[in-house]
Structure formats: structure tokens, C-alpha cells
Amino acid sequence: WEKMCSIKMLIFSCRRRYPTVEVRAETFNESTHVPVPSDSAFLKALLFELRLVDDHVFVEHRDTCTRINHSSVYSVRTEGGDLWPVLAFQKSGLIYACLPLVEETLEPRPPLLTVSGLSQGLALLLGIVDYLSSSRKNEAEMSAKISQLRTLLLQACPLGTPLNTNIRSLNSSFDDIQEMPTDENQPAWRSNTYKGKPQVNVCITEKVKCMQYDKRDVVDTWQVYGAVNCKCDIEGSAPNVTLSLNLPTNGPPLQDIVVHHCVTSVDPAMLMSSSVEPLDDSVYNGPYKFPFIPPSDSFNLCYYTSQVPVPPILGCYQLIEEESQLKITVNLKLHESIKNSFEYCEVRIPFFNRGPIAQLEYKVSYGQLDLSREKSLLVWVIGQKFPKSLEVSLTGTVSFGTAGKEHPTDYVCTGNTAYVKLYFRIPDFTLTGCYVDQHSVQIFAPGKPKITASRELISSDYYLWNSKAPAPILYKTLLD
């Protein structure tokens, strides 16, 4: 919760807006937990601690010279005990204060740097300062902004954890948000009620990590992990939605599935599939049904991994140093099962611990090769399609000038130990084949919703290591 007050008057409080946080505080702090007092009692105690009242009276626990506060974090003495850590500061005649959650016992007091809630609380208070600062000279505008603040904080902190500390950016949408739920069945994660034409947008994003070495004694590794993002604009305080993920007949099963807390029930067999254990014939392969009551904003319905048989692009990279120049070769092959339609596809070839590229001779079978402005990186733009052969190659020789401070260095990639990195995105495609059947989406709410489903495959840490040099153990185990 947040408070702002003039010297003697409380003008805004979000106290007890987040009972979930107070329950968590009792759980974490155990016997050291101090209950939050009433607004008036807290205000009186805070003003006393800040020496804004009774400053002429010497109070040992507050005024002794052995207790010098070098930060904006205070211990506020209340009837129930010392409330800590209270983050408070003055700005333009107002006091901004909040009580962050400490996820451990309070005795002994943990170091301030270990309390993550302090940085979150400070960011939120600074966001409120920025939101109110433009109206300081106009009392009517200030009053209007303060009246909107509770609604904005429901968006910024729907469950007490700051999700968006830029309060000013939320200002335009406050009229669409109700201050308090009108239906007792409305879950806490639905901070507002949508009004308008119902629509559901679903996007499956799969990312593929890969390490390829082109060596007999080193095993190539790759991993696929996905996320299903949803945005449900549906009327009602607690609309019920059921969404199904489907796989093709021979698609690899989804594993390590983690669901959002808004999912109301799930088949236990769905959650039992783990990538740690080998696959067998009894593994659950869908359809994967998720009944849920959606939050108001965009959210990830679930995460998953999968063990696909091959990476989308197979390749090898060879770098050989001869006298004062390097000879490079890159060969790539798009697997025939992969959709040959890219939004972008490029290969980046960095040269570490060397000077700028002074001379470059090359030949590409397909695409275009560019030199970066710093002359330390080659960018091979393959484009939006591989040729009919599904294979492309690059060969060339590179020589360098004198190294300067602006050129990249790497303590791991020295000598011929080097890599190339692939960047690509394939729209309307997933490596597992996972998709959402729009006709299977069930919505128990009035009106006929518009349902939009999309999917994409994106590269993430996709490396080809130089097969003519030893790959560092650090990178061999990156995906383990």
C-alpha cells in the first residue's frame, strides 16, 4: 500500500487494498511479524519518526546520535511493535511512503540490498511522484489525479506486486476500470470488467536453443520451449474460457508444462510428463485442455518444453588461420520438415580479439553479406527463403588491421575458438507442430467472440561452433 500526506493530513491511502500481501507477510515473517496499524495510527507514528511532530522533545530511540539514518528506510514504532522497513521521503510538500514485503523473518534484520521489495516500492513511489508532479500548482487537477490514483494502482499492482511503475502511462485508460469488484465471484486477478465486443487473441511462441559442433566426439544439443500468450476481452466478472492445444499425429509431446494460476483445473497426466525422464508409449500427447478465468490483461496461459528429433537448421562452421588471414566456411541446410518462409534469417560472424577487418574476399551461394560499421562483424542475410535445394554456403578470407579498444574482446573465444550465431523467425509455424484450433475455443459468456490464433518459431542462442577448434566446456553444458 502507499500513503501520501501533508504535514498533518492524510490525503491518500491504499491501505489494505492487498490482503494477499499481508497474508504472505505473516507467513514469511512468522513470529517477527508486526501488524499494520490503522491509517491514523500509522500517520501519527510516521510523522513522529520523521521529526515532523514533537521535534522539540528528545526521544532516545529516535534522536540519539548513535542512530543516524543514511537512507530513506525507517523503523516506525507502533503499539504492535517496530514496523520495518518503511520507505519514506518528502517531495514538494508531500510525504510518499510504502511498506515493502520482506520475504523472510525480520530478526535479525536482513541487509537492505537483499530486500527486493524496497527497489520495487521505490520505483512505484517515484512513478506516483512523476504522475502527480505536473499538477502541483493546480489544486483542482491535483484533486482529480488523486481520485484516479486508486484505480491506476489496481492496474499497476493488481495483486500488490508492481507490474508497471509508470503510472503516467496508465492514465488514459482509467475510465474503463472499475474501482472495486461488483461481483463477489470476481477473482482477484481480474482487476476490471471489459465492455465491448468479445474477442480472444492467442499466440504460441516457441523458441529453439541450439549448440552444434560438427564433431564426432561432441554431441550436438538443442531444446525447444514454448509459451502460450492470451488476451481475452470478454464481458463479465468471471467469464469461463476453455482453450485446447493440439499436436499433429506424429508431433512430439509437450513436457514440463507450467500453467497460470487462473487455470481452474488440469489433467494430472498433463503435468507428469517431464523432459528429465525418457519418453515412453504412455506419455500424454494431448489434446491439452485449459479451462480458466482470464485476467484482464495479456498473460501467459502456460509454458512447456519438448524434445524434437532435429533442429530446424543444420550447419557447420570452419575457421582456419593461415599466416595473417582467416579462411572461413559456413554451410547451412534447412530441414525438409521446416516451413521455408521466414520473416528474417541471418547469420552473424563475430571476430573477437582482433582489429578491424581490412580486407574481405568472399563468395555466397545465396543471400547477401554485409560488414558492420565497426568492421568486426560479418552479417550474412539469407532473407525470407532458402533456395529449392534448402542448402546455402559461404566461403571467404578475412584479414585484419591493428586492434583498438572499440573492437570486441572475449576471454573464452580466443584464437580459432569461435562461433557463428543464427537469428531467424518463422511466422505461422511451431517446431512441435503445436497449434490452437479456433473452433475448439469455448467461451461461456454472452455474444459471439472473435477468436484470433497465431504462432511463431524464434531462434534463441542458436550457435555453430568452429569445428576446427575445441569448443569451450562452458558452452558444451549450456543446455544441460
Side-chain angles (χ1 to χ4, degrees):
W1 48 272
E2 296 75 35
K3 294 178 182 291
M4 292 173 295
C5 54
S6 62
I7 296 302
K8 296 289 182 65
M9 181 180 66
L10 178 71
I11 64 173
F12 177 81
S13 168
C14 207
R15 160 88 164 85
R16 298 210 179 274
R17 177 62 249 180
Y18 308 120
T20 53
V21 180
E22 296 187 10
V23 171
R24 291 170 63 196
E26 292 178 10
T27 303
F28 284 121
N29 304 156
E30 298 178 341
S31 60
T32 60
H33 176 70
V34 177
V36 181
S38 65
D39 287 344
S40 58
F42 176 84
L43 175 60
K44 181 179 179 180
L46 177 62
L47 294 178
F48 183 82
E49 178 64 29
L50 297 179
R51 295 178 57 85
L52 296 175
V53 294
D54 295 332
D55 59 332
H56 60 285
V57 179
F58 176 82
V59 181
E60 184 172 358
H61 81 270
R62 181 191 68 178
D63 302 321
T64 176
C65 60
T66 60
R67 185 177 180 268
I68 300 176
N69 200 325
H70 297 285
S71 69
S72 297
V73 179
Y74 299 89
S75 176
V76 177
R77 180 158 296 187
T78 68
E79 290 186 0
D82 289 350
L83 207 58
W84 182 91
V86 175
L87 179 62
F89 59 86
Q90 297 185 58
K91 183 74 173 178
S92 301
L94 297 178
I95 298 174
Y96 297 79
C98 70
L99 178 62
L101 173 67
V102 179
E103 298 181 333
E104 56 185 298
T105 59
L106 299 176
E107 294 294 342
R109 288 181 181 174
L112 294 181
L113 290 177
T114 66
V115 182
S116 60
L118 282 172
S119 58
Q120 295 177 343
L122 179 60
L124 184 62
L125 291 181
L126 292 177
I128 297 175
V129 171
D130 178 64
Y131 168 70
L132 295 176
S133 61
S134 60
S135 58
R136 288 296 298 131
K137 296 182 179 180
N138 188 320
E139 291 187 7
E141 184 179 351
M142 177 63 131
S143 178
K145 283 195 171 186
I146 290 174
S147 66
Q148 299 165 11
L149 192 52
R150 183 184 301 275
T151 296
L152 299 180
L153 288 175
L154 290 179
Q155 301 176 64
C157 310
L159 292 175
T161 299
L163 301 180
N164 185 354
T165 57
N166 186 358
I167 307 300
R168 188 192 293 268
S169 68
L170 301 174
N171 191 28
S172 60
S173 59
F174 74 91
D175 284 333
D176 298 329
I177 310 298
Q178 64 183 27
E179 179 173 326
M180 295 291 289
T182 57
D183 190 335
E184 62 180 10
N185 295 321
Q186 180 170 334
W189 58 83
R190 279 187 69 82
S191 58
N192 63 68
T193 299
Y194 174 78
K195 298 292 183 181
K197 185 176 180 180
Q199 53 186 353
V200 175
N201 293 297
V202 185
C203 179
I204 303 175
T205 299
E206 286 188 355
K207 294 184 178 181
V208 54
K209 285 186 174 182
C210 190
M211 293 283 172
Q212 298 183 39
Y213 306 96
D214 191 32
K215 290 176 177 289
R216 290 186 177 181
D217 61 335
V218 184
V219 178
D220 294 344
T221 57
W222 58 91
Q223 181 185 49
V224 177
Y225 54 99
V228 181
N229 185 266
C230 300
K231 179 69 168 68
C232 302
D233 294 326
I234 306 172
E235 292 188 357
S237 58
N240 287 284
V241 180
T242 298
L243 183 148
S244 296
L245 300 181
N246 300 276
L247 295 174
T249 304
N250 298 322
L254 306 184
Q255 298 174 291
D256 306 323
I257 299 175
V258 178
V259 300
H260 192 274
H261 59 76
C262 71
V263 176
T264 54
S265 65
V266 68
D267 190 329
M270 186 190 306
L271 304 179
M272 294 298 292
S273 179
S274 171
S275 58
V276 176
E277 300 178 358
L279 297 175
D280 55 45
D281 295 336
S282 63
V283 69
Y284 191 88
N285 58 4
Y288 304 86
K289 290 189 176 182
F290 300 91
F292 60 95
I293 299 175
S296 307
D297 299 318
S298 175
F299 71 103
N300 286 328
L301 177 66
C302 69
Y303 301 90
Y304 62 85
T305 66
S306 184
Q307 300 180 44
V308 297
V310 292
I313 299 177
L314 295 167
C316 67
Y317 174 45
Q318 294 183 353
L319 180 150
I320 303 174
E321 191 164 3
E322 293 183 355
E323 297 179 351
S324 60
Q325 65 181 13
L326 299 179
K327 287 188 176 182
I328 62 172
T329 302
V330 184
N331 294 313
L332 302 176
K333 178 178 174 58
L334 180 68
H335 195 270
E336 57 268 16
S337 65
I338 305 302
K339 180 182 178 182
N340 190 11
S341 179
F342 294 77
E343 180 179 308
Y344 58 84
C345 182
E346 66 181 40
V347 180
R348 298 184 185 181
I349 312 172
F351 295 98
F352 300 106
N353 311 306
R354 306 177 189 274
I357 296 175
Q359 187 174 0
L360 171 64
E361 295 181 2
Y362 68 92
K363 180 180 179 180
V364 292
S365 66
Y366 194 80
Q368 174 183 330
L369 187 67
D370 297 324
L371 177 62
S372 69
R373 180 179 301 178
E374 298 80 12
K375 297 185 178 181
S376 60
L377 175 72
L378 296 180
V379 181
W380 180 16
V381 180
I382 296 173
Q384 297 179 326
K385 277 185 177 294
F386 275 65
K388 290 184 178 181
S389 64
L390 302 182
E391 297 184 30
V392 294
S393 63
L394 160 67
T395 58
T397 58
V398 185
S399 58
F400 303 88
T402 304
K405 294 182 179 180
E406 70 277 8
H407 295 284
T409 59
D410 194 297
Y411 294 107
V412 176
C413 299
T414 58
N416 289 355
T417 300
Y419 62 78
V420 300
K421 190 174 182 180
L422 276 63
Y423 296 82
F424 57 82
R425 177 182 181 272
I426 306 177
D428 194 27
F429 180 81
T430 52
L431 202 53
T432 61
C434 183
Y435 67 96
V436 174
D437 182 0
Q438 299 182 31
H439 300 290
S440 69
V441 179
Q442 301 177 358
I443 301 177
F444 302 95
K448 185 176 181 181
K450 177 183 178 182
I451 300 173
T452 304
S454 60
R455 53 184 185 162
E456 61 182 356
L457 175 66
I458 302 175
S459 63
S460 173
D461 296 331
Y462 205 106
Y463 293 92
L464 306 180
W465 284 92
N466 178 22
S467 62
K468 297 298 183 180
I473 298 298
L474 169 68
Y475 288 91
K476 287 183 183 179
T477 59
L478 185 62
L479 297 180
D480 291 351

